[in-house]
Amino acid sequence: MQLQQIRYFMAICDEGNMSRAATRLFVAQPSLSEQIRKLEQELGLPLFTRLPRRLVLTPAGEVFRVHATRILEEVDLVQTHIDEVSVQSGQGIRVGVLPTLGSRLFPSVIAEFRRNNPGVHIALREENSSQSVKHLLSERELDVGVMRLEGKLAPHLEASFFLREPLIALIPPGHLLARSGEISLEEIAEEPFLTLKAGYGLRELVLNVLSDAGVVPNITVEVSQLEFLIGLVEAGMGVTMLPQLAVARERQVTQLQISDRHAFRELYLVWRKDLPLESKAPLRMFIDILRSHAEH
């Protein structure tokens, strides 16, 4: 029996529906169903009765829920105590970051922080969406994260505005559109459009910006790697849109400003306000350094 399976079970109990639970957990529904099936096989009894539109706990499921609740409460308590020991022994801060920020912003931030705090370790975790970062913060698996703010935060989390970053258009070298200094979203829609696959927060952001402008892109290629996406633009396969910090200056693409004013993303710093007192000083210093580097 795995802790992940217990968390999955509790999410289904809360949602009463496999699809909603999968969305909440950021996992594919078939994977969630398979984990519950394995849990039921191990226990030897079904935990849910499958009705047309909802799942209902069986008598065995009711008993398991009581114990699962206690297990997760104990796990949270253990994590809190481990956090205290981690900070007191100089172990570190756990940071969640989006791929479009990690390579450009965080290396210099971490280097400066470590120079001033050589005994504090930084554990960096890269996630594909703001929702994933938010989930890990909610589960106390991260101490601080940079993300787009979507929906309500858990009571133990606090957020502060971090930066507003323009989206830019990436155009193949030598393309006719590259002759001007900027481009409109309508012009982008006329070209073959390259994007990340479903499930990536950046894809959702870009498509929402286009939708708000009444623009439907001509999506021709979907990929799962940011570098691959930029490489396809370099190869002349089409155009794309990315946040400015996501594109290295040395890439062989034309970067154009987008004339539409709402083509931007807003990022927030979100951190745990229930951390032990001993951890708050290094966390504040890390946030201060991060803000300072972002300004430059």
Side-chain angles (χ1 to χ4, degrees), residues 212-231:
D212 289 345
V215 171
V216 179
N218 175 27
I219 298 176
T220 56
V221 180
E222 299 173 303
V223 299
S224 58
Q225 297 292 327
L226 190 61
E227 289 300 306
F228 188 21
L229 180 67
I230 299 173

Side-chain angles (χ1 to χ4, degrees), residues 29-96:
Q29 185 172 330
S31 298
L32 178 59
S33 300
E34 176 66 13
Q35 289 302 316
I36 296 301
R37 186 186 64 80
K38 289 181 179 179
L39 180 60
E40 290 177 323
Q41 284 182 340
E42 184 174 350
L43 293 171
L45 288 170
L47 298 174
F48 296 100
T49 298
R50 275 72 172 172
L51 300 179
R53 294 188 177 182
R54 62 193 180 99
L55 300 178
V56 178
L57 286 171
T58 62
E62 294 283 2
V63 172
F64 186 74
R65 183 176 187 173
V66 172
H67 293 281
T69 300
R70 292 174 183 170
I71 290 170
L72 294 182
E73 288 174 349
E74 285 296 320
V75 168
D76 286 343
L77 184 60
V78 168
Q79 187 62 65
T80 298
H81 291 166
I82 291 296
D83 288 343
E84 294 173 357
V85 173
S86 172
V87 172
Q88 291 168 3
S89 59
Q91 291 301 305
I93 300 171
R94 300 167 301 172
V95 182

